[in-house]
Amino acid sequence: MFRFLLGVLFIIGLVIAASSQVPLGYAMKKAGLQESGVAWTQAEGTLWDGRITGLEINGHEIGDTILELRPLSLLLLAPVYDVQWGGTSSRGSAIARISRKELYTSDLSAEQNISYIKALAVPVRAMGGSVRVNGAHIVYDWQGCTSASGKVSSDVLSLAAEKFGRSFPILTGDLGCDAGTLTAHLTGTSDKGDVVEIDLRASQTAMSGLTARVDTKDREVVALLANSGFALQDGRWTYSRDTPPSGLDMP
């Protein structure tokens, strides 16, 4: 029995040692990430401890990313990484577990600059502000998002309202999944009773986009919405914008 345990430990050591020598860039190319819409400027280090410079996913800038493998996770044939990223567009951290069937992300906290979200129209991106995600858990398989939970918030309307001498709270909501698409539903009510609902959709294979609905009777707000691309639908001012999987802007 003792010799058997020594043999098992020896094999485990070989697996860990082998993985620590595989270049990160080589592994990323072999995994076919470029064909899945993932691009990067440079990949340094190994599968054990690596750094990705200029990471982009479907044309969306992520920034420089650091991966640190949890070695014991190799015993379960499902590597677990501590991930951190940061750049001018976004920053955040998460724990990612990779298996043959799915990618499981937990403890995800991130902040995304609104002005870098290409799925949004230029006037919306010009407002500034950010979208924040806290305590998120997201699972993807080959078909897309299968489950998601976590809190989402944004200060974009708070900043925009200040320019017009008004007050608007932080928009808040929850993450979810719908037919393989990652979704977020945010709501907020102003000091004068204006109600705003925003639905966000992010997909690797289908259309992504945003739909905003505003319920207001304020004439000044109505005039502003009408001049910003909103249209009156079912009694609410509505704005929608979609983008293809590539993440490129649409006219």
Side-chain angles (χ1 to χ4, degrees), residues 9-22 46-48 69-75:
L9 291 176
F10 177 73
I11 293 174
I12 292 174
L14 287 179
V15 172
I16 294 177
S19 65
S20 68
Q21 301 301 316
V22 178
T46 66
L47 282 179
W48 193 292
L69 176 69
R70 296 186 176 185
L72 293 181
S73 66
L74 294 175
L75 301 180

Side-chain angles (χ1 to χ4, degrees), residues 14 50-51 62 79 81 114 134 150 174-175 177 186 209-210 212 247 249:
L14 287 179
R51 180 186 182 92
I62 302 299
Y81 283 91
I114 289 288
N134 292 305
D174 300 296
L175 287 175
C177 282
L186 295 86
L210 168 151
D249 274 324

Side-chain angles (χ1 to χ4, degrees), residues 74-102:
L74 294 175
L75 301 180
L76 302 177
L77 300 179
V80 176
Y81 283 91
D82 291 306
V83 185
Q84 294 184 6
W85 70 92
T88 55
S89 64
S90 66
R91 60 182 179 179
S93 62
I95 299 173
R97 186 180 73 221
I98 306 170
S99 71
R100 292 182 178 180
K101 295 183 178 181
E102 63 183 21

Side-chain angles (χ1 to χ4, degrees), residues 53-138:
T53 304
L55 180 64
E56 293 185 3
I57 299 178
N58 284 342
H60 178 74
E61 179 183 340
I62 302 299
D64 295 344
T65 305
I66 297 175
L67 305 174
E68 293 185 0
L69 176 69
R70 296 186 176 185
L72 293 181
S73 66
L74 294 175
L75 301 180
L76 302 177
L77 300 179
V80 176
Y81 283 91
D82 291 306
V83 185
Q84 294 184 6
W85 70 92
T88 55
S89 64
S90 66
R91 60 182 179 179
S93 62
I95 299 173
R97 186 180 73 221
I98 306 170
S99 71
R100 292 182 178 180
K101 295 183 178 181
E102 63 183 21
L103 168 64
Y104 180 86
T105 304
S106 61
D107 295 333
L108 170 63
S109 296
E111 180 178 357
Q112 170 66 51
N113 190 321
I114 289 288
S115 61
Y116 286 87
I117 302 179
K118 295 183 178 181
L120 301 180
V122 174
V124 178
R125 292 161 60 183
M127 292 181 182
S130 62
V131 176
R132 295 180 176 86
V133 178
N134 292 305
H137 298 260
I138 305 173

